[in-house]
Amino acid sequence: MQPLKHRPAVPRGKPRRKRAKVKLNRKRLLLAAAAAVLLVMAGRSLLPALGISAPGLGGKPAESPTEVQTKAPPAPQVDLNGVMVPGGGAPMITLNPGLVRLGGTVTVQGSGFDQGAVVDVYLGPSSAPGQPKNAAAAKPRQVATAKVLKYGIFTANFTFPSTMTQPVQEVTAQARGSDKVAQADASVAQGAGQATLSAIVGKPGDTINLTVKGFAPGEQLDVFWGRITGEPTLTLKADEGGSVGKTPIRVGVTTVGTTSLVVVGKKSGAAASAPFQVLRLYPSIKLAPYAVKATQKITFSGSGFAPDERVLVRLNAAGGRPVMAIPTDDAGGFKGAGLTMPFKLKGAQALVFTGEQSRAAVSTGFSILPYMPQARTNAYGGLPGTMVNFYATQFAPNEAVHVTVQTAKGATPQTVAAFRVDQKGSARAVGTYTIPGDTEDTVVFHLHGQSSDSTATVNFKVDKSGGPVDIPPAKPYTIPKDLEN
């Protein structure tokens, strides 16, 4: 077993020097760190105040500005035809269009910027002298961003606000991390409103949505279809921004084909229009029944006309004075209308229905049936001197019936009786006539309705009497006044 080896002892003075050196190095590190902190704080506060840029010292990046610069670096001035103009190289933007419509698209074209730079486009109140300021909208707002391409140009598009109270707005293009900035004024078109429809095709009576903007705040707006004068189809009221949100309206009555909806401001005089394709109306009619007699009623229902218009009804004519006018409902239809057919109409007839405003027309046919009455006497035959009376059915209601007799072939008929049928066109045991003594063979009676112009015929067989019959001749018959018609 080998003895343990011991390290030589170290003098006590040497470790103290080493500890002193370590403490000195720590003090130097603390001093360096403090200096670094002071440098960073100075870079964040003091240096920017002096206008000195200190990259890498923290703070917000230069390429994300919180405020829009309004002054571009001065460009050299050149005398051109007596006018001092910029010599070129300075940032510049142009607007297309420069006279903008609320809600329209504006194209910003810039030049003179650094290739590859990012440009922010802002919209705010104009700084031109004499332009009104709106404190609530004094701060510009970013509306677009673009990257500068070759030759220092860029293009950006943005939608102009739908509501704007100031007539001039300033467009500013500012490059991030650079002092290059350019401005241009956009003028808002005055007296030129805008109307937008949710559909561009429809027929009168269809419901669509209308959106309006660009008018005076709170003014009354008259809405017309295909015209700008007369009674408006609808009246609206603009809000504080001169706009009207989506409002349901009905397609009005106007010419078929391409037309326009026109909105006119009563106060500002501004006008807006929107194109619309009006489809044709196809009305239809249902009749019941399709065949009637005089004094009977024919009923009809209609659909497909313009809402809330009158439908003019004519018989066998497309023009002239109508026999009746029927109002349509909100859907352009009507029900339960009818006409009682007069006498003297015979055969095929036509009813013509025409919309008073839309001029949409449709016709339908029907027939007038004749009355075909039947009659008989109280006896089918008899000897001379027999007294007969009459029974009748199927005449026109309440009409007068005249009875004529023909005692021989070729003889002139003579009126021998008259009576009036009841509401059902019937009569029983009416009128009297005595068969003359010299009558032989057959007597023919004709019962003629005075209103229906219809006739029933009755043949009465006269038996042979075997000799002369002494019967006084009948006195001529006079039709009472109340039975003349």
Side-chain angles (χ1 to χ4, degrees):
M1 186 172 186
Q2 296 181 359
L4 295 173
K5 293 182 181 181
H6 296 278
R7 292 182 182 179
V10 181
R12 293 184 177 181
K14 291 183 179 180
R16 290 180 179 175
R17 289 194 204 100
K18 190 172 183 180
R19 290 191 189 100
K21 289 182 179 181
V22 172
K23 289 181 178 180
L24 182 59
N25 290 336
R26 288 179 178 174
K27 289 182 179 180
R28 290 177 179 175
L29 289 174
L30 290 173
L31 289 174
V37 172
L38 290 174
L39 180 60
V40 172
M41 293 178 64
R44 289 183 175 178
S45 60
L46 181 59
L47 295 181
L50 297 175
I52 301 175
S53 176
L57 294 180
K60 295 182 180 179
E63 60 269 20
S64 299
T66 57
E67 295 183 359
V68 180
Q69 297 183 19
T70 58
K71 292 185 179 180
Q77 298 290 310
V78 178
D79 186 345
L80 179 61
N81 199 26
V83 179
M84 298 304 294
V85 297
M92 181 185 69
I93 59 172
T94 58
L95 306 179
N96 188 19
L99 183 62
V100 301
R101 183 187 295 273
L102 296 179
T105 300
V106 180
T107 299
V108 183
Q109 294 179 323
S111 62
F113 290 83
D114 296 329
Q115 181 177 344
V118 176
V119 176
D120 294 317
V121 179
Y122 297 86
L123 180 67
S126 174
S127 59
Q131 294 297 334
K133 299 295 181 181
N134 187 347
K139 188 176 181 179
R141 61 189 181 98
Q142 186 174 345
V143 292
T145 300
K147 188 174 183 179
V148 180
L149 305 177
K150 192 176 181 180
Y151 306 117
I153 61 175
F154 74 87
T155 301
N157 296 307
F158 71 92
T159 301
F160 206 81
S162 298
T163 57
M164 191 69 65
T165 57
Q166 293 178 299
V168 179
Q169 294 289 309
E170 188 172 71
V171 179
T172 302
Q174 178 178 327
R176 294 183 183 178
S178 172
D179 59 356
K180 289 195 173 182
V181 61
Q183 294 90 20
D185 284 339
S187 298
V188 180
Q190 298 297 303
Q194 184 176 359
T196 304
L197 299 175
S198 61
I200 60 173
V201 177
K203 64 181 184 299
D206 288 349
T207 300
I208 58 177
N209 290 325
L210 169 65
T211 303
V212 176
K213 51 191 172 183
F215 289 84
E219 76 171 323
Q220 178 180 315
L221 307 177
D222 289 339
V223 181
F224 301 90
W225 281 98
R227 55 187 174 85
I228 58 173
T229 59
E231 189 70 20
T233 304
L234 181 68
T235 299
L236 304 174
K237 185 177 181 181
D239 58 21
E240 294 180 355
S243 303
V244 175
K246 288 184 178 180
T247 302
I249 65 169
R250 280 187 170 179
V251 178
V253 176
T254 183
T255 55
V256 174
T258 302
T259 186
S260 296
L261 176 139
V262 182
V263 182
V264 180
K266 295 283 287 184
K267 179 180 178 182
S268 65
S273 65
F276 193 83
Q277 186 75 17
V278 179
L279 302 179
R280 183 181 303 175
L281 289 170
Y282 291 94
S284 61
I285 297 293
K286 292 182 179 180
L287 291 180
Y290 282 95
V292 295
K293 296 178 180 179
T295 72
Q296 293 180 346
K297 187 176 183 179
I298 187 169
T299 61
F300 33 82
S301 300
S303 61
F305 291 93
D308 303 319
E309 73 169 338
R310 295 199 312 167
V311 176
L312 307 180
V313 184
R314 297 179 175 90
L315 182 66
N316 298 324
R321 186 177 178 181
V323 296
M324 69 181 305
I326 311 168
T328 61
D329 55 23
D330 290 345
F334 61 88
K335 295 180 180 179
L339 286 170
T340 299
M341 293 298 104
F343 291 108
K344 298 185 179 180
L345 287 179
K346 297 180 180 181
Q349 308 292 324
L351 283 173
V352 181
F353 300 81
T354 306
E356 188 174 28
Q357 297 178 2
S358 65
R359 303 301 183 196
V362 61
S363 64
T364 185
F366 65 99
S367 297
I368 299 292
L369 300 177
Y371 280 92
M372 302 179 68
Q374 296 181 1
R376 58 170 291 186
T377 55
N378 57 340
Y380 291 104
L383 293 169
T386 302
M387 183 178 292
V388 299
N389 50 30
F390 306 94
Y391 292 78
T393 60
Q394 300 183 33
F395 278 94
N398 302 313
E399 73 172 329
V401 177
H402 296 178
V403 182
T404 60
V405 65
Q406 193 173 9
T407 57
K409 290 183 179 179
T412 302
Q414 296 180 355
T415 302
V416 295
F419 59 89
R420 189 175 297 277
V421 297
D422 60 18
Q423 190 174 359
K424 295 182 179 179
S426 301
R428 291 168 293 278
V430 291
T432 57
Y433 178 72
T434 301
I435 303 298
D438 58 351
T439 304
E440 297 181 359
D441 197 7
T442 301
V443 174
V444 179
F445 296 99
H446 295 282
L447 286 75
H448 182 73
Q450 298 302 296
S451 297
S452 64
D453 195 27
S454 58
T455 301
T457 301
V458 180
N459 292 325
F460 185 90
K461 178 66 176 177
V462 179
D463 296 332
K464 292 183 179 180
S465 61
V469 177
D470 188 12
I471 298 176
K475 295 181 180 179
Y477 180 79
T478 302
I479 299 175
K481 290 288 183 181
D482 62 335
L483 294 177
E484 288 181 354
N485 295 306

